[in-house]
Amino acid sequence: MRCFFVAVLAILTASCIGASASDTTIPCAGPPDKGASVAVHPGSQVSKTQDRQSGTCVFSINGAVATSPPAGQVLEAINFVRKPDKPMLRDPKGLAVALASLMAASAPVNQVPDELISALIRSSERVSACARGFFSSNDGKFNQPDQGKDDPITCAAAPTYSDERGKHEILERGEIAAGLPTLAISATWGSGRFVSTVYLPIVTPGQPPISAQ
């Protein structure tokens, strides 16, 4: 069974009945105070944005537009990272713009913020190196580039689990429990109001393109 949806509640837990052992669960807390989570099938691309001012956490799955940025721009971004020849690993600026669009899909904006694009472009060489290391590996294990102390952009592999006990332990720590190796790229923006994260499973390149409905 497929489960594609957008979660827009401050306190939300979403899951799919019949989920397999390799599904990924992505938590979100602080905000919202009582926490939220979303469960998705392997290979699903997820973005989330935490709004510290409104106390909400919004999810976007596979390019679904949660608020109001241009849907075509978001679809272009997700199809860019899905291309089987992996142009995102050769085009740091293109990857930065795509990530900004995917982050905007879960943010309360009506266009992709220039501030977000600029921040990602400034860190594009490091983020690109991080993505190359991750997607060039077979298991998501690689030497992650150093991050500057005041850099608002982070890039790291999410922890994976091998059994339900391991999954529970990861979730208890408030971390994403990934069924497949997954790269997490985050940006803090809006004068610290927003934290947006894009999750890219290792099988993202080669996934079929998504067309507008």
Side-chain angles (χ1 to χ4, degrees), residues 5 16 39 80 100-101 110 113 127 129 132 157 172 190 203 205 212:
F5 57 91
C16 296
F80 177 71
S101 298
N110 55 23
V127 172
R132 281 195 304 272
E172 283 291 303
V203 297

Side-chain angles (χ1 to χ4, degrees), residues 11 35 63 77 86 92 115 154-155 171:
I11 302 172
K86 304 178 184 178
E115 173 198 352
T154 64
C155 180
L171 292 173

Side-chain angles (χ1 to χ4, degrees), residues 63-96:
V65 176
T67 48
S68 54
Q73 197 168 352
V74 177
L75 284 178
E76 183 179 343
I78 193 169
N79 288 333
F80 177 71
V81 299
R82 285 184 167 210
K83 289 184 177 180
D85 58 342
K86 304 178 184 178
M88 64 172 171
L89 304 186
R90 304 185 298 274
D91 183 358
K93 184 177 179 180
L95 176 59

Side-chain angles (χ1 to χ4, degrees), residues 174-189:
E175 300 177 6
I176 169 181
L180 293 174
T182 298
L183 189 66
I185 303 169
S186 296
T188 300
W189 57 285

Side-chain angles (χ1 to χ4, degrees), residues 10-198:
I11 302 172
L12 171 149
T13 301
S15 60
C16 296
I17 298 173
S20 68
S22 59
D23 284 348
T24 291
T25 299
I26 299 173
C28 194
D33 292 340
K34 294 185 178 180
S37 64
V38 64
V40 296
H41 287 298
S44 297
Q45 184 278 317
V46 178
S47 304
K48 74 176 183 183
T49 293
Q50 295 170 271
D51 185 339
R52 290 167 173 163
Q53 179 173 300
S54 66
T56 60
C57 182
V58 178
F59 295 92
S60 169
I61 300 175
N62 288 333
V65 176
T67 48
S68 54
Q73 197 168 352
V74 177
L75 284 178
E76 183 179 343
I78 193 169
N79 288 333
F80 177 71
V81 299
R82 285 184 167 210
K83 289 184 177 180
D85 58 342
K86 304 178 184 178
M88 64 172 171
L89 304 186
R90 304 185 298 274
D91 183 358
K93 184 177 179 180
L95 176 59
V97 172
L99 290 170
S101 298
L102 291 172
M103 290 177 180
S106 59
V109 295
N110 55 23
Q111 62 183 5
V112 182
D114 290 338
E115 173 198 352
L116 188 54
I117 296 173
S118 297
L120 285 159
I121 287 177
R122 285 195 296 271
S123 297
S124 61
E125 292 297 333
R126 180 175 58 80
V127 172
S128 181
C130 181
R132 281 195 304 272
F134 177 80
F135 286 108
S136 297
S137 69
N138 294 321
D139 55 6
K141 296 179 181 178
F142 66 105
N143 293 322
Q144 299 181 23
D146 293 334
Q147 176 187 336
K149 180 180 179 182
D150 298 321
D151 196 329
I153 312 299
T154 64
C155 180
T160 57
Y161 66 91
S162 56
D163 54 36
E164 289 303 313
R165 180 177 179 179
K167 181 178 183 180
H168 178 74
E169 290 174 350
I170 292 172
L171 292 173
E172 283 291 303
R173 299 197 300 266
E175 300 177 6
I176 169 181
L180 293 174
T182 298
L183 189 66
I185 303 169
S186 296
T188 300
W189 57 285
S191 299
R193 173 180 172 179
F194 302 109
V195 179
S196 297
T197 306
V198 172

